[in-house]
Amino acid sequence: MKWLIDEQLPPQLTDWLIEQGEEAIHSKELPYSTDKELSQWAVQQGYIVVSKDIDLLEWHVRLDPSPSLLYLSLQNIKTSDLINLFRRHWCQLCRTLRKHTCVEMRKEEIHIHW
């Protein structure tokens, strides 16, 4: 899978995904400045957007076509805890995102929006 990590998330998450053999890029590496531009790029390139931005979750239903979205429903979290959360949910997360376009990851569970 291909992952686009939103700007409010640490670049170390991008590094961890790459270590797992995934293709990942942090939004700071791209020349786009708005959520709409990033989302359009993600759709065109086939990336899953990973974000904590509630606006992206709400906007996801209105954008056509919309990129796949992994919404992180988390308060402030240390980078090491975030990566451990990905480790703990990794298999389920990958299976779920292959079938659904909007998934929410909470500390204790994966929630499917659609």
Side-chain angles (χ1 to χ4, degrees), residues 9 34 40 50 55 58-60 71 80-81 90 94 97 106:
L9 295 170
T34 68
Q40 289 172 336
V50 182
D55 292 338
E58 293 169 355
W59 192 49
H60 182 80
Y71 173 68
S80 59
D81 291 340
W90 184 241
C94 289
L97 282 164
R106 302 171 183 159

Side-chain angles (χ1 to χ4, degrees), residues 5-10 26-28 50-54 56:
I5 309 305
D6 202 5
E7 67 182 336
Q8 78 278 24
L9 295 170
H26 200 279
S27 64
K28 291 178 182 178
V50 182
S51 181
K52 287 174 59 176
D53 186 349
I54 189 72
L56 270 177

Side-chain angles (χ1 to χ4, degrees), residues 23-41:
E23 187 174 329
I25 190 166
H26 200 279
S27 64
K28 291 178 182 178
E29 299 176 50
L30 296 173
Y32 308 109
S33 58
T34 68
D35 288 341
K36 184 175 182 178
E37 291 172 329
L38 284 168
S39 293
Q40 289 172 336
W41 182 86

Side-chain angles (χ1 to χ4, degrees), residues 40-99:
Q40 289 172 336
W41 182 86
V43 168
Q44 292 168 352
Q45 302 300 320
Y47 277 75
I48 299 165
V49 176
V50 182
S51 181
K52 287 174 59 176
D53 186 349
I54 189 72
D55 292 338
L56 270 177
L57 178 62
E58 293 169 355
W59 192 49
H60 182 80
V61 296
R62 297 189 305 266
L63 185 64
D64 184 30
S66 62
S68 291
L69 176 66
L70 172 57
Y71 173 68
L72 304 179
S73 182
L74 306 167
Q75 297 298 323
N76 289 336
I77 185 171
K78 294 188 319 187
T79 299
S80 59
D81 291 340
L82 177 62
I83 291 171
N84 284 333
L85 189 62
F86 267 79
R87 265 192 202 101
R88 188 168 70 231
H89 293 297
W90 184 241
C91 291
Q92 181 186 6
L93 190 58
C94 289
R95 281 192 311 269
T96 305
L97 282 164
R98 284 189 183 97
K99 296 178 183 177

